[in-house]
Amino acid sequence: MTALSKIRNFAIIAHIDHGKSTLADRLIQNCGGVELREMKEQMLDNMDIERERGITIKSQTVRLTYKAKDGETYQLNLMDTPGHVDFAYEVSRSLAACEGSILVVDASQGVEAQTLANVYQALDNNHEVIPVLNKIDLPAAEPERIKQQIEDVIGLDASDAVLISAKTGLGINDVLEAIVTRLPAPKGDAAAPLTALLVDSWYDSYLGVVILVRVVDGTIRKGQKIRFMATGAVRDVDRVGIFTPKKVEMDELGPGEVGFITAGIKQISDTKVGDTLTDDRKPAEKALAGFKPSIPVVFCGLFPVDANDFEHLRESLGKLALNDASFQFEAESSVALGFGFRCGFLGLLHLEIIQERLEREFNLNLITTAPSVIYHIYKTDGTLVHLHNPVDMPDPVRIDHMQEPWIKATIMTPDEYLGGILTLCNERRGEQIELTYVGNRAMAIYRLPLNEVVFDFYDRLKSISRGYASFDYVLDEYREGDLVLMNILVNTEAVDALACIVNRAAAEKRGRMLCERLKELIPKQLFKIAIQAAIGGRVIARETISAMRKDVTAKCYGGDISRKRKLLDKQKEGKKRMRQFGNVEIPQSAFIAALKMDDR
Amino acid sequence: MTPLSVYIHWPFCVSKCPYCDFNSRVLPSALEEGAWQEAYINELSHYAARLPDREIATIYFGGGTPSLMQPQTVATLLDKMVALWRVQQNCEITLEANPSSSEIGKFQAFKSAGVNRLSLGVQALNDASLRFLGRAHDAQEAREAIKAAAKTFDRFSFDLIYGRVGQTPAAWEAELGEALTFGSKHMSLYQLTIEEGTSFHKRAANETLTAPDDASAQMYEATQEIMAMAGLPAYEISNHAAAGQESRHNLTYWHYGDYIGIGAGAHGRFVEGNQRYATENHRNPDAWRQQVVAGGHGRAKETILDQETAMREALMMGLRLVTGIDKAAWHRKFALPLKDYVPQHKVSRLVHEGLLVKDAATLRASPKGLETLNAVLAFLLS
């Protein structure tokens, strides 16, 4: 067991691409965590998708052994955290398990919106924060300006920020020294009853459920009978260990230490993140403060393109959910798209990542319906309905009023793009709370309805700012809204997959756009097709696809009969992919394309 | 007994045209025509043994380029058929010919051999288009060939291909106007179609070879109008004739009558006993001939068509005709009324939309329905 004074627990906070994973790699390397030949980039990002996108999705932890200049050997526990808002809950857990943070800022780009949110979280957790300026080897680096920016925007003293280049290895030892000298040691009592925070859990195909813990008081050891205070479950500890980042088994973990245990648990749903582990024979009186559970805020339908893949999709979703308790799904069926699942996500990136993992790791070809948020519907009979799917919208006469979620969004941008961004926010019913300038960068804080953001806000923001603006949000409150269900009708039949809930004022524009788009997407047919957008019985937009003019085989003689008949038979097969709408058959591909549309 | 039509396929051409997906090969320099004649005779004899009591109503030499055959070979085959079957007095005997000067010289000999109808592969009346279509002749030869055919044969027809890239409706109408001056009572006017397995198909991946959809529809519609005014209305989607001058052989296909296929790649459809057969010969000419020598026929495949498949084919072919499907004839052929096969609610919908016309005796496509026949059939049969 390591003395508390020789332990430092820290997290790394950074905006995407500012070099968090590279810094983590260097720290591991400098402390000899892995042999040089074993070193690969982004050591802690295990998933292919994390490596490819350069992002961290799951928190990781690694114990480093560092011999400091004072001659002492320290145990450094690094908690790698995701940078994206969707995974804020992962960040909050990691932060709760440490006493300090390293804030990595790109020395030319400066502070971004996500960084800000995470720093504030760290400060809320009473963390000591060490600013680190990365990429100072680049010609564009302006460390002095960025230091000033950190002070102005975050209010953090950056005068003794550590200047590094994670890429070249410059300044890495200064970071390690700063961790030892500037971050506080954890507090704890080895003699007190065991309290350990359940930071995270995941499913491992060899070990079953692995639980990441931070010991606060007491000791957790192999063979110990432990109790999960929230769930009341009692288990024997099978294994205790740490990551270096290689898995190393130990006999015990003492106060202040971070590591993993296994305890014969089969499903992660049996563990509750934020729970407190204690000794069953000598239980602690009080549990540690836990976390707010993470709840999905964005919903969409996932449908297999090939209906035969439905069961495969169900199994695959189940496998992903094994390791992602924040992800929810339930079966649904659609006239336009067949059988699929309604799924809940923490945000759009979470949605995109799950979708991509399903397609890549499980070889599924998917259709994703337009993302939607949870509406609160107060019915005239006094009941409250949480609406996840527009098609479940109750009859308007039974609705007293509706509420929609609003967010508080922080946008940071070079000031040349500010005008376009403010226009975008205003178009999306945004309310400005604050607008500040720091040097040539602006920070806008807005309240925005989430349903305006899930549509295509990120894409628009990126295109307006040429990728330079960064965006972050927290859920703010539910507010009453003038919301209506808009249906898209093909030959007077509603296409469920295209139904959406929109603000009444924006309905007509959205409806017109969808109709025009479908007109482009649906091939001409034998009969003319009417496409309408309607609110209740009222049509607000309409397009007509005229009947096809010509489709005939010029030559057909004796020898051709077999071939032409086979072509016709093949066409008949193809019709299985068509969906029938009031006498019109529409290729499923048209719906898929309509769902991919954006708002330009 | 249902009369029988005979299709004889001569698979050789001087060169392969880039749009053509018919079974044809470049003529080998040393072709033992006698040996091939022997094979044709063998296969004819084989079918005569299977279908002895039938009357021959039409004979058609297609290809490939059958005008490359020696007229003597044609004469021998026709004599053989007369020996094997009862050939009707007014039997229509068509031969496809290329408008080259060497072949023009053989027209009279073909007539003497018994051919009474010539079908010329003219395809275009200007040199640029003929080059684009990969034809071996030029426009001048084409005109001379048409004139020679008119002089030699009472009945002759020629083919033109339109809807080529760059061709305007006005240019096509002018070309068609010239075509009508030759006095033919039959013309086959095809829209250029890019067929799989042709060299145009490969090229079409990177370049446009056909006229845009709108222009193509406009040319099709103009064609129908011009030909009707000239007294040669369409009787089938791409075939136009003065009254009584229709190709009876081709009508056999569209009426879903009985025909046998002789030669490499030829297909047949006929009733024998209580079964309806579909036959398909080896496409490779040498493979076909070897098998005929060994076993009397060159079939690669023979299937018994079930009633449902046969009716699907009959509907697909019959609706190509302007006169459509004769309900009584259908009932006789399949022992089932047409209305029991074609879903009536779909027919009503198509009639309502102006795509089909239904009267007491026939079911047929309207001009609009003919122009969209693929989609009409897909709707009816799905």
Side-chain angles (χ1 to χ4, degrees):
Chain A
M1 206 183 301
T2 311
L4 284 166
S5 64
K6 298 291 179 288
I7 300 175
R8 298 291 183 273
N9 296 318
F10 68 100
I12 307 180
I13 298 168
H15 182 70
I16 185 167
D17 285 342
H18 281 199
K20 175 171 61 72
S21 297
T22 317
L23 174 58
D25 289 351
R26 287 284 169 266
L27 294 176
I28 293 166
Q29 205 180 352
N30 278 33
C31 294
V34 286
E35 303 283 330
L36 199 57
R37 62 179 167 78
E38 297 172 306
M39 202 66 203
K40 51 185 178 181
E41 282 187 15
Q42 288 181 256
M43 282 298 302
L44 300 183
D45 294 336
N46 293 328
M47 287 185 244
D48 284 348
I49 193 166
E50 290 183 312
R51 288 169 184 283
E52 272 170 37
R53 290 187 168 216
I55 55 173
T56 304
I57 299 166
K58 287 296 281 185
S59 291
Q60 298 286 333
T61 174
V62 56
R63 178 184 291 192
L64 310 171
T65 305
Y66 175 63
K67 195 160 188 319
K69 285 183 183 156
D70 63 8
E72 300 285 343
T73 300
Y74 289 83
Q75 176 196 123
L76 310 183
N77 291 304
L78 158 62
M79 312 282 294
D80 189 21
T81 59
H84 192 274
V85 51
D86 283 3
F87 305 106
Y89 74 105
E90 295 258 351
V91 179
S92 67
R93 293 178 205 176
S94 307
L95 294 176
C98 337
E99 287 76 38
S101 294
I102 295 176
L103 165 65
V104 182
V105 178
D106 182 308
S108 51
Q109 291 186 25
V111 176
E112 299 288 357
Q114 279 105 317
T115 334
L116 210 61
N118 289 346
V119 175
Y120 287 141
Q121 269 204 55
L123 294 173
D124 286 347
N125 278 282
N126 297 315
H127 274 201
E128 193 63 44
V129 177
I130 304 170
V132 169
L133 300 191
N134 191 19
K135 307 191 190 179
I136 57 154
D137 56 319
L138 296 183
E142 294 180 85
E144 286 315 308
R145 184 176 69 78
I146 302 302
K147 277 187 195 176
Q148 189 60 46
Q149 195 201 22
I150 291 173
E151 291 184 11
D152 292 343
V153 176
I154 308 178
L156 201 66
D157 178 8
S159 55
D160 45 6
V162 186
L163 305 188
I164 68 161
S165 165
K167 200 173 126 210
T168 66
L170 177 75
I172 299 303
N173 280 329
D174 298 340
V175 176
L176 288 164
E177 275 304 307
I179 291 167
V180 168
T181 56
R182 286 162 63 179
L183 297 187
K187 294 188 181 70
D189 180 357
L194 170 69
T195 49
L197 185 64
L198 198 166
V199 181
D200 197 2
S201 64
W202 60 89
Y203 184 81
D204 180 293
S205 43
Y206 297 107
L207 302 177
V209 172
V210 178
I211 295 170
L212 185 67
V213 293
R214 156 70 197 266
V215 180
V216 177
D217 286 323
T219 309
I220 193 163
R221 59 175 68 87
K222 232 168 155 167
Q224 191 176 15
K225 209 175 260 304
I226 51 160
R227 185 191 299 172
F228 293 78
M229 293 182 79
T231 62
V234 175
R235 303 274 178 175
D236 290 321
V237 176
D238 298 330
R239 285 187 184 78
V240 174
I242 56 162
F243 297 100
T244 69
K246 285 177 285 192
K247 217 176 273 150
V248 179
E249 292 206 24
M250 317 272 287
D251 291 326
E252 59 177 29
L253 293 170
E257 292 190 306
V258 178
F260 73 87
I261 63 161
T262 64
I265 298 169
K266 297 281 182 290
Q267 294 178 12
I268 56 161
S269 51
D270 295 338
T271 63
K272 186 172 162 287
V273 167
D275 201 350
T276 302
L277 278 56
T278 191
D279 190 320
D280 187 50
R281 294 200 185 88
K282 199 176 95 178
E285 283 181 9
K286 220 174 127 227
L288 303 165
F291 308 116
K292 270 192 295 186
S294 57
I295 47 159
V297 292
V298 174
F299 286 78
C300 77
L302 290 180
F303 293 83
V305 169
D306 181 347
N308 296 326
D309 279 342
F310 176 75
E311 279 307 321
H312 180 35
L313 175 59
R314 183 202 295 280
E315 281 162 26
S316 308
L317 289 169
K319 281 185 188 153
L320 286 186
L322 270 184
N323 251 334
D324 188 347
S326 57
F327 162 59
Q328 298 179 349
F329 64 97
E330 61 179 37
E332 74 165 321
S333 74
S334 149
V335 177
L337 302 173
F339 290 100
F341 293 91
R342 191 76 187 165
C343 305
F345 306 93
L346 297 165
L348 286 175
L349 182 70
H350 190 207
L351 184 163
E352 214 177 291
I353 283 164
I354 295 272
Q355 185 195 353
E356 200 172 319
R357 291 187 64 189
L358 286 168
E359 293 189 337
R360 287 164 43 150
E361 295 170 30
F362 298 95
N363 234 334
L364 283 157
N365 200 356
L366 295 176
I367 308 164
T368 313
T369 64
S372 165
V373 301
I374 304 174
Y375 296 96
H376 290 175
I377 299 183
Y378 292 86
K379 293 170 65 176
T380 47
D381 62 6
T383 56
L384 167 65
V385 176
H386 288 234
L387 184 75
H388 294 187
N389 191 343
V391 298
D392 297 331
M393 176 106 157
D395 190 322
V397 299
R398 296 184 191 283
I399 297 175
D400 181 68
H401 67 283
M402 279 175 77
Q403 290 188 336
E404 62 179 323
W406 282 63
I407 57 167
K408 198 167 127 188
T410 304
I411 299 164
M412 302 203 60
T413 176
D415 56 10
E416 60 204 284
Y417 307 117
L418 185 65
I421 290 172
L422 296 186
T423 308
L424 174 68
C425 289
N426 293 334
E427 273 174 15
R428 301 303 171 86
R429 296 187 281 144
E431 294 169 0
Q432 199 183 89
I433 302 171
E434 207 181 304
L435 183 60
T436 46
Y437 291 87
V438 184
N440 61 353
R441 286 181 72 82
M443 178 170 83
I445 299 179
Y446 263 83
R447 284 205 177 84
L448 282 158
L450 183 59
N451 84 347
E452 301 278 356
V453 172
V454 296
F455 193 48
D456 66 340
F457 189 85
Y458 286 121
D459 293 342
R460 297 283 296 131
L461 187 70
K462 259 187 254 159
S463 95
I464 290 171
S465 69
R466 299 178 181 202
Y468 284 110
S470 58
F471 172 78
D472 189 43
Y473 70 85
V474 287
L475 282 176
D476 193 41
E477 58 173 357
Y478 269 80
R479 280 205 222 169
E480 190 166 344
D482 188 7
L483 300 163
V484 289
L485 175 70
M486 182 171 78
N487 271 309
I488 300 296
L489 299 99
V490 172
N491 275 4
T492 70
E493 249 182 69
V495 182
D496 52 6
L498 296 177
C500 54
I501 288 170
V502 288
N503 184 257
R504 191 184 299 276
E508 200 181 315
K509 187 179 165 208
R510 182 79 60 88
R512 214 167 31 234
M513 200 173 74
L514 263 165
C515 289
E516 281 167 15
R517 186 69 196 269
L518 279 172
K519 184 180 177 174
E520 286 168 28
L521 291 168
I522 298 176
K524 282 189 176 183
Q525 302 201 15
L526 204 45
F527 313 120
K528 70 173 194 287
I529 304 168
I531 301 167
Q532 297 164 315
I535 296 171
R538 194 168 62 87
V539 173
I540 55 169
R542 168 199 310 271
E543 291 286 340
T544 305
I545 301 173
S546 57
M548 67 166 68
R549 187 164 169 192
K550 184 162 173 293
D551 176 19
V552 64
T553 305
K555 239 181 194 176
C556 193
Y557 294 108
D560 268 357
I561 300 188
S562 310
R563 252 181 65 203
K564 296 293 194 281
R565 180 193 16 105
K566 282 172 195 155
L567 277 178
L568 197 66
D569 291 348
K570 223 160 111 190
Q571 215 174 340
K572 215 165 134 183
E573 276 303 296
K575 282 189 178 290
K576 289 185 183 157
R577 290 229 150 176
M578 309 285 263
R579 308 288 167 165
Q580 186 88 31
F581 281 91
N583 265 323
V584 176
E585 278 160 330
I586 294 177
Q588 185 176 284
S589 57
F591 294 120
I592 299 171
L595 289 167
K596 280 196 181 136
M597 67 188 285
D598 51 37
D599 182 28
R600 254 143 280 177
Chain B
M1 267 291 165
T2 319
L4 193 65
S5 288
V6 179
Y7 177 76
I8 297 175
H9 191 82
W10 180 258
F12 303 110
C13 289
V14 285
S15 60
K16 179 86 190 168
C17 299
Y19 57 85
C20 173
D21 70 329
F22 280 28
N23 186 31
S24 62
R25 318 280 150 137
V26 175
L27 182 68
S29 50
L31 188 82
E32 278 275 355
E33 201 167 312
W36 289 87
Q37 176 182 295
E38 209 43 52
Y40 284 103
I41 287 173
N42 283 358
E43 195 163 44
L44 284 166
S45 307
H46 167 85
Y47 280 105
R50 275 184 75 170
L51 307 164
D53 302 323
R54 308 291 279 264
E55 277 187 11
I56 307 298
T58 69
I59 297 165
Y60 196 102
F61 291 89
T65 312
S67 56
L68 293 175
M69 294 166 89
Q70 296 304 321
Q72 186 50 53
T73 307
V74 174
T76 307
L77 295 182
L78 287 172
D79 289 347
K80 185 71 194 177
M81 281 182 264
V82 170
L84 290 170
W85 283 285
R86 208 187 83 74
V87 175
Q88 288 180 355
Q89 195 62 46
N90 59 346
C91 180
E92 178 191 274
I93 301 169
T94 308
L95 181 117
E96 287 181 341
N98 258 358
S100 79
S101 27
S102 62
E103 284 152 286
I104 293 168
K106 291 152 87 177
F107 285 179
Q108 189 56 52
F110 284 129
K111 186 181 179 183
S112 305
V115 171
N116 55 27
R117 185 173 178 273
L118 198 77
S119 175
L120 275 175
V122 170
Q123 316 311 1
L125 290 169
N126 68 76
D127 290 342
S129 299
L130 288 168
R131 272 196 302 275
F132 170 74
L133 293 170
R135 301 296 292 177
H137 62 273
D138 62 22
Q140 200 45 46
E141 276 178 299
R143 293 185 184 99
E144 276 161 24
I146 298 170
K147 284 175 198 157
K151 216 180 285 170
T152 316
F153 294 96
D154 293 335
R155 297 177 72 206
F156 75 99
S157 171
F158 60 91
D159 297 0
L160 294 175
I161 296 178
Y162 67 101
R164 312 180 288 264
V165 66
Q167 187 181 33
T168 61
W172 165 238
E173 285 166 32
E175 196 173 349
L176 194 54
E178 187 194 341
L180 283 164
T181 62
F182 297 105
S184 171
K185 300 282 179 249
H186 189 285
M187 273 189 234
S188 300
L189 308 170
Y190 301 109
Q191 290 240 304
L192 176 61
T193 312
I194 307 301
E195 301 284 357
E196 257 178 73
T198 62
S199 70
F200 267 4
H201 191 258
K202 281 178 220 133
R203 275 175 65 185
N206 307 312
E207 60 181 311
T208 307
L209 300 171
T210 50
D213 286 353
D214 267 355
S216 150
Q218 201 182 329
M219 284 187 247
Y220 173 87
E221 287 158 19
T223 303
Q224 308 308 305
E225 218 171 288
I226 292 167
M227 296 305 285
M229 280 193 329
L232 280 79
Y235 67 99
E236 190 263 359
I237 283 160
S238 305
N239 284 277
H240 305 258
Q245 294 301 308
E246 299 85 0
S247 160
R248 286 177 5 233
H249 183 83
N250 289 339
L251 281 173
T252 305
Y253 300 140
W254 296 316
H255 285 143
Y256 207 57
D258 283 11
Y259 56 95
I260 55 173
I262 307 293
H267 287 238
R269 290 285 185 284
F270 53 85
V271 174
E272 181 186 9
N274 293 321
Q275 309 280 20
R276 184 177 297 275
Y277 290 88
T279 65
E280 189 179 332
N281 282 357
H282 283 288
R283 282 176 69 82
N284 181 295
D286 291 320
W288 169 79
R289 189 161 63 97
Q290 277 161 24
Q291 190 178 311
V292 175
V293 169
H297 68 82
R299 285 192 299 273
K301 219 162 98 183
E302 177 167 57
T303 31
I304 295 172
L305 290 177
D306 58 58
Q307 170 98 340
E308 155 69 27
T309 307
M311 288 193 295
R312 197 153 68 239
E313 289 188 344
L315 187 80
M316 193 178 88
M317 297 306 271
L319 286 180
R320 295 184 67 85
L321 291 170
V322 170
T323 50
I325 294 168
D326 183 288
K327 289 178 186 173
W330 178 283
H331 199 155
R332 274 198 305 278
K333 196 185 298 284
F334 296 112
L336 186 81
L338 179 59
K339 67 173 168 49
D340 289 358
Y341 172 60
V342 189
Q344 288 307 293
H345 67 281
K346 290 189 174 178
V347 171
S348 304
R349 176 88 202 273
L350 291 167
V351 168
H352 175 79
E353 298 281 345
L355 297 163
L356 284 185
V357 181
K358 204 168 77 168
D359 59 32
T362 63
L363 176 70
R364 60 184 192 272
S366 68
K368 193 70 228 161
L370 287 170
E371 198 173 352
T372 53
L373 188 63
N374 290 351
V376 168
L377 286 169
F379 178 81
L380 268 179
L381 294 176
S382 66

